[in-house]
Structure formats: structure tokens, C-alpha cells
């Protein structure tokens, strides 16, 4: 499946954020920019994340290092949430087996 791309210039015009902010995020390794026909693009699927980063930066005044730290913590929390849900499913599965024991 080919990803859909959004031109950074258009995204910045629509959201009224500086394109240098996105460039800085890319330089910090927080997001990936694709160059297509000498124009910078981002994948459409990361737009919600990019909007969140811009709110953290512009509304809350969080710098790039803080954004990276918060992003990392959210990734860890989501992983832990997934693991917890997995363990709950296993617990339900095995508790059904124990309910049927003589």
C-alpha cells in the first residue's frame, strides 16, 4: 500500500505553523520528511501526531527536546496499554478454564 503524502508548504499554510518547525522536528529525528520532486512532504498518517506536536510547541511552549521526551513516553504508555490488554485477554481465557475444574 502506497502512503499518501501531504506537501509541508500546504500543511503549514493551512495550519498557520512555521515550516521551520517541521524541519526542526525532522532534524531531531522526531518525524520523517520525504523529498518528492524537490518538495518536502510528510506521510498523511502522521498528520494527527504532527498537529499534536505543534499544539505542544505553540500552545504549551514545549521545546523540541520536551516534545521528543513526551513522544517517547506516549509510545511507552501505548505499548504498556497494549501489553495490559493482552494480559487481560489471557487472564479471561485461563480463568474460564479454572471455572470448569471439578
Amino acid at each position: 500500500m502506497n502512503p499518501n503524502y501531504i506537501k509541508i508548504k500546504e500543511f503549514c499554510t493551512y495550519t498557520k505553523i512555521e515550516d521551520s518547525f517541521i524541519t526542526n522536528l525532522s532534524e531531531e529525528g522526531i518525524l520523517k520528511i520525504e523529498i518528492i520532486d524537490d518538495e518536502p512532504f510528510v506521510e498523511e498518517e502522521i498528520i494527527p501526531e504532527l498537529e499534536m506536536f505543534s499544539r505542544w510547541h505553540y500552545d504549551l511552549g514545549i521545546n523540541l527536546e520536551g516534545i521528543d521526551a513526551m513522544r517517547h513516553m506516549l509510545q511507552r504508555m501505548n505499548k504498556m496499554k497494549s501489553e495490559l490488554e493482552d494480559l487481560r485477554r489471557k487472564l479471561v481465557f485461563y480463568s474460564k478454564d479454572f471455572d470448569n475444574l471439578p
Side-chain angles (χ1 to χ4, degrees):
M1 181 173 169
N2 290 336
N4 293 325
Y5 291 97
I6 304 290
K7 191 181 285 191
I8 290 175
K9 192 174 206 174
E10 291 177 7
F11 176 79
C12 291
T13 301
Y14 179 76
T15 59
K16 297 179 177 62
I17 65 170
E18 301 167 9
D19 58 346
S20 61
F21 173 69
I22 297 176
T23 303
N24 291 338
L25 287 173
S26 175
E27 289 171 356
E28 289 292 320
I30 297 172
L31 63 83
K32 185 178 179 185
I33 292 177
E34 295 288 334
I35 304 297
I36 303 171
D37 296 329
D38 294 326
E39 290 283 337
F41 287 79
V42 292
E43 286 188 30
E44 187 178 89
E45 69 181 25
I46 68 158
I47 294 298
E49 213 174 10
L50 183 54
E51 290 172 336
M52 180 177 60
F53 298 155
S54 67
R55 282 192 308 272
W56 288 351
H57 181 69
Y58 290 103
D59 296 347
L60 301 175
I62 297 172
N63 63 16
L64 294 175
E65 293 80 11
I67 290 172
D68 193 31
M70 290 172 63
R71 178 184 65 94
H72 184 260
M73 291 302 295
L74 275 176
Q75 288 173 341
R76 289 185 63 191
M77 287 174 52
N78 287 333
K79 183 180 179 209
M80 289 171 37
K81 180 181 175 186
S82 176
E83 289 172 353
L84 181 60
E85 289 170 357
D86 210 24
L87 289 171
R88 283 185 177 155
R89 280 193 294 276
K90 288 178 182 177
L91 181 61
V92 167
F93 176 78
Y94 288 114
S95 68
K96 288 179 184 177
D97 287 345
F98 287 117
D99 291 341
N100 295 328
L101 289 176

